[in-house]
């Protein structure tokens, strides 16, 4: 049976069930009660009263009424989240950066709605002195985020049972791989492409460290994606090759650079905009220790117009928000063959007389791309 949503909209506002703060709920009974009893041979002072049964879900939660006019309140500042650190956000209002907390009720609602505040979000915030509750637990913060504007293009991934929004409100995802150190991972590139398309973002495939492409494999891989109709870039942050093309792609756009650790995402941005001084890592350390140089996503305004979000490399990437029956749509070269599969609900994995598999056998679909599809299909749930 479908679970009822725990939101109701009434005349006065929206009723939302939220958790009590943990520090308001008292323990039903001491955790070490049995232990104490054993140690003292049962001669402990019995509590005069106690809740033997732990508090249930009902009593741990309360209903509050939320007014959805936060964004319309006068005097609110507007800005864009440039980086997140735990529960704190740095917000750029175009003049300076404000270090903000997130209003608790907003955080609860957004987490219930699967989307906490993230880099790239357009937010409204109050500044210290204009609101109560800015200082929390002795940490004076400059502002409090009161509302988050609806998002456009976003890059999400599945992390366990939760969906993580890596970045919001971007037009382009520059998916960076390197010709070597580390070698390209086709499956990861394809996962980034699918996630970008699902999130309404245009993917651009960038092959960096092209100076290390001794046998031309990376260039041929890139040609494969160009053939599928994707915009491709060959770059070298070391010798500056292709940087002008990258600049033209990013100009006046909101973009994110994504890809595995060590491929040179931060190096590319440093070459693109001298003076940025983003931290870059030593390759040898990465392979030995698997460490990531960039640890949090950060939004960078570009001198030539637009902005770009540098992200930490990730080793594995689970795609979110797409049932496996719909995956075929995101493999553009499959689309012409799908209607001629024998079974209308063909998954193109185990069925006979599958036109997609026949196209792979004929060489019309590259086996690597088919392999990416099958791996994604196996990972996804319905
Ligand atoms: N040969 C060569 N080396 C490069 C190039 N671009 C980056 N590097 C080297 O690759 C290493 C990793 O670069 P980073 O920019 O830290 O890589 P990253 O993708 O930002 O890594 P994370 O922040 O961990 O995700 C550094 O040692 C760079 O000097 C390139 O085009 N050619
Ligand atoms: Mg980096
Ligand atoms: Zn099929």
């Amino acid at each position: 049976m479908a679970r009822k949503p725990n939101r109701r909209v009434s005349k006065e506002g929206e009723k939302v069930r939220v958790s009590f703060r943990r520090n308001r709920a008292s323990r039903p009974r001491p955790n070490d009660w049995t232990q104490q009893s054993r140690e003292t041979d049962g001669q402990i002072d019995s509590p005069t009263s106690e809740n033997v049964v732990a508090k249930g879900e009902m009593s741990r939660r309360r209903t509050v009424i939320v007014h959805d006019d936060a964004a319309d309140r006068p005097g609110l500042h507007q800005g864009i989240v440039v980086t997140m650190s735990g529960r704190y956000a740095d917000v750029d209002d175009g003049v300076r950066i404000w270090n903000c907390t997130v209003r608790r009720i907003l955080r609860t609602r957004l987490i219930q709605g699967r989307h906490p505040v993230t880099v790239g979000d357009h937010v409204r915030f109050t500044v210290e002195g204009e609101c109560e509750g800015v200082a929390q637990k002795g940490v004076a913060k400059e502002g409090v985020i009161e509302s988050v504007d609806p998002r456009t293009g976003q890059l999400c991934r599945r992390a366990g049972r939760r969906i993580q929004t890596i970045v919001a409100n971007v037009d382009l995802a520059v998916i960076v791989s390197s010709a070597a150190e580390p070698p390209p991972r086709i499956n990861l590139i394809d996962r980034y492409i699918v996630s970008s398309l699902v999130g309404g973002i245009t993917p651009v495939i960038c092959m960096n460290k092209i100076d290390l492409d001794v046998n031309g494999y990376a260039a041929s891989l890139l040609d494969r994606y160009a053939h599928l109709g994707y915009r491709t870039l060959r770059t070298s942050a070391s010798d500056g090759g292709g940087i002008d093309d990258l600049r033209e792609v990013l100009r006046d756009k909101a973009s994110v650079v994504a890809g595995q650790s060590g491929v040179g995402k931060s190096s590319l941005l440093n070459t693109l905009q001298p003076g940025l001084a983003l931290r870059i890592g030593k390759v040898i350390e990465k392979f030995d220790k698997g460490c990531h140089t960039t640890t949090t996503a950060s939004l960078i305004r570009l001198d030539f117009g637009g902005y770009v979000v540098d992200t930490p490399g990730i080793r594995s990437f689970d795609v979110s928000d797409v049932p496996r029956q719909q995956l075929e749509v995101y493999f553009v070269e499959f689309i012409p063959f799908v209607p001629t599969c024998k079974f209308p609900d063909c998954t193109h994995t185990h069925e006979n007389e599958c036109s997609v598999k026949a196209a792979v056998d004929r060489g019309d679909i590259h086996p690597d791309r088919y392999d990416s599809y099958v791996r994604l299909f196996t990972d996804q749930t319905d």
Side-chain angles (χ1 to χ4, degrees):
M1 201 176 74
R3 269 181 57 197
K4 275 189 189 166
N6 51 359
R7 291 172 175 203
R8 278 168 292 148
V9 181
S10 71
K11 262 195 310 231
E12 330 83 86
E14 187 186 359
K15 289 183 177 170
V16 183
R17 293 285 286 167
V18 298
S19 301
F20 273 114
R21 289 181 190 201
R22 207 167 278 163
N23 61 9
R24 289 199 204 164
S26 58
R27 278 227 167 90
R29 61 191 296 176
N31 276 352
D32 58 349
W33 193 80
T34 329
Q35 181 69 23
Q36 275 186 46
S37 171
R38 236 183 254 129
E39 283 169 4
T40 56
D41 209 13
Q43 300 300 305
I44 52 169
D45 286 341
S46 303
T48 49
S49 74
E50 66 168 347
N51 290 327
V52 177
V53 182
K55 284 188 176 182
E57 178 71 1
M58 285 296 285
S59 53
R60 279 202 207 102
R61 294 163 79 78
R62 67 198 160 117
T63 301
V64 294
I65 295 176
V66 183
H67 296 274
D68 252 338
D69 57 358
D72 306 326
R73 284 219 313 261
L76 284 183
H77 299 245
Q78 284 187 39
I80 185 163
V81 175
V82 293
T83 189
M84 292 292 300
S85 170
R87 292 174 167 184
Y88 302 111
D90 279 349
V91 180
D92 182 351
D93 68 354
V95 181
R96 56 160 288 196
I97 308 286
W98 299 82
N99 191 222
C100 296
T101 55
V102 180
R103 176 76 63 203
R104 177 177 287 271
I105 185 64
L106 177 66
R107 208 164 61 221
T108 306
R109 293 175 76 199
L110 291 172
I111 289 170
Q112 280 174 355
R114 304 186 326 171
H115 297 293
V117 179
T118 196
V119 173
D121 267 328
H122 298 283
V123 296
R124 319 278 168 133
F125 63 101
T126 34
V127 303
E128 197 175 8
E130 293 174 10
C131 64
E132 286 176 26
V134 173
Q136 289 189 351
K137 293 203 171 163
V139 186
K141 291 287 155 188
E142 297 177 308
V144 178
I145 295 175
E146 305 286 352
S147 76
V148 179
D149 291 358
R151 292 170 177 162
T152 55
Q154 53 187 325
L155 188 64
C156 300
R157 71 162 176 160
R158 191 158 41 86
R161 289 173 57 195
R162 294 192 56 174
I163 311 283
Q164 182 197 3
T165 308
I166 299 166
V167 57
N169 302 315
V170 288
D171 315 308
L172 288 182
V174 180
I175 301 164
V176 186
S177 305
S178 53
E181 300 176 9
R185 280 177 54 197
I186 296 170
N187 191 252
L188 195 62
I189 299 174
D190 289 333
R191 280 170 189 241
Y192 272 117
I193 292 175
V194 172
S195 281
S196 306
L197 297 173
V198 170
I201 306 171
T202 307
V204 174
I205 320 299
C206 174
M207 188 63 72
N208 189 39
K209 307 197 191 183
I210 208 74
D211 53 297
L212 302 181
D213 188 23
V214 282
N215 57 11
Y217 171 71
S220 69
L221 186 58
L222 208 54
D223 285 345
R224 211 188 283 166
Y225 286 99
H227 225 78
L228 296 177
Y230 294 114
R231 176 82 200 253
T232 57
L233 292 165
R234 288 161 203 237
T235 57
S236 168
S238 297
D239 64 21
I243 296 296
D244 289 342
D245 295 336
L246 177 62
R247 188 176 293 109
E248 288 322 305
V249 165
L250 298 182
R251 188 183 297 281
D252 297 328
K253 292 276 188 344
S255 317
V256 55
V257 285
Q260 60 174 315
S261 189
V263 294
K265 299 178 293 296
S266 304
S267 306
L268 280 172
L269 298 180
N270 279 341
T271 313
L272 196 70
Q273 185 151 305
L276 261 184
L278 296 172
R279 274 193 61 216
I280 61 165
K282 289 191 184 126
V283 160
I284 189 75
E285 278 177 16
K286 282 184 198 305
F287 292 131
D288 286 354
K289 299 177 194 158
C291 66
H292 297 248
T293 308
T294 306
T295 50
T296 49
S298 63
L299 186 146
I300 298 150
R301 288 194 189 271
L302 297 167
D303 297 341
F304 48 87
Y307 61 79
V308 63
V309 177
D310 187 17
T311 60
I314 31 188
R315 227 167 275 134
S316 65
F317 191 101
D318 285 330
V319 173
S320 66
D321 292 320
V322 53
R324 54 186 183 176
Q325 287 288 353
Q326 285 171 25
L327 267 177
E328 61 191 21
V329 176
Y330 301 102
F331 285 78
V332 62
E333 69 275 45
F334 289 17
I335 293 172
F337 303 107
V338 167
T340 52
C341 288
K342 181 178 178 193
F343 304 105
D345 57 352
C346 184
T347 65
H348 327 300
T349 53
H350 60 276
E351 295 88 346
N352 291 326
E353 296 180 55
C354 165
S355 298
V356 171
K357 283 200 285 181
V360 176
D361 293 341
R362 281 197 311 274
D364 292 339
I365 290 175
H366 199 284
D368 289 344
R369 288 274 293 171
Y370 180 68
D371 179 61
S372 290
Y373 168 82
V374 173
R375 287 218 246 164
L376 261 172
F377 187 89
T378 315
D379 281 4
Q380 296 297 107
T381 49
D382 281 321

